[in-house]
Structure formats: C-alpha cells, structure tokens
Amino acid sequence: MPVKGYVMGGNSANDTEILTYSTSTMATSTDSDMTTNNVSHEGMGDNDTYAYVTGGNTGAKSSATERFTYSSETYALNTDSDLSVARIDHGCCSDLGTFGYSVGGNG
C-alpha cells in the first residue's frame, strides 16, 4: 500500500511536493527536483518502483521522459521511454505494473 503521493513540477517549476497519507500533510521536497522546469506534462507510475513524467513544455513542446525513483525520491532523464512526438496537454495512465500509456494531447 503506498504511503506517499507526489505532485511533480507544473507552472514552470521543477520542484516536487510530497503528500504523506498517514498525516495528510504536504511538504515541498528540496532533494527531489525534476531535471527541467516543466508545465503541461503528465505522469504515470507503477505501485512499487518508478513514476514517469512525460512531455510538457520546457520552453518548447517536449518529448522527454523523466523517471522518478520512489525509494530515493530522485529524477533522471530516461531516453528509452521518450514520447514519439513532442506533446503537451496529453493524458497518461498505467496498469500499475506492466504498461503505461500516453494518449492525445497537442503535438
């Protein structure tokens, strides 16, 4: 069962806010910044290991994917999972273990 939730970037920011479910408190993490400022991106994740932040606007439309590792609460660019086209305002979902999907948006 997950114990934390994450709000990643947005409004041209690269910070991450962490919600601790047991206390219902939100705090900005100073140790887990995204590698770029990003807005209009989407995210998906599995239950145990990684979350992915895809696309968005980093000054121009982006196809980049950043992978967030839950255990260390750190980001790294993950070129193996970049989008096929740069896009913003798309939707993302996953089956929480095997597949993640990025759909629609403005490409």
Side-chain angles (χ1 to χ4, degrees), residues 76-105:
L77 288 174
N78 190 46
T79 57
D80 290 341
S81 55
D82 282 353
L83 299 171
S84 60
V85 295
R87 65 179 75 193
I88 60 173
D89 301 325
H90 53 295
C92 285
C93 61
S94 75
D95 67 1
L96 301 178
T98 306
F99 296 105
Y101 303 90
S102 177
V103 297

Side-chain angles (χ1 to χ4, degrees), residues 45-63:
D46 63 28
N47 268 343
D48 302 316
T49 310
Y50 302 114
Y52 297 86
V53 178
T54 64
N57 186 335
T58 59
K61 291 178 188 173
S62 173
S63 62

Side-chain angles (χ1 to χ4, degrees), residues 6 11 13 15 17 21 23-24 26 28 32-33 41 43 48-49 55 71 80-81 86-87 90 95 102 104 106:
Y6 300 89
N11 199 24
D15 61 339
E17 294 189 62
Y21 294 132
T23 60
S24 297
M26 184 77 78
T28 299
S32 52
D33 289 345
H41 56 283
D48 302 316
T49 310
S71 62
D80 290 341
S81 55
R87 65 179 75 193
H90 53 295
D95 67 1
S102 177
N106 180 347

Side-chain angles (χ1 to χ4, degrees), residues 14-16 29-36 66 73-75:
N14 69 340
D15 61 339
T16 298
S29 172
T30 58
D31 297 326
S32 52
D33 289 345
M34 295 174 65
T35 62
T36 59
E66 295 196 47
E73 294 184 341
T74 57
Y75 291 92

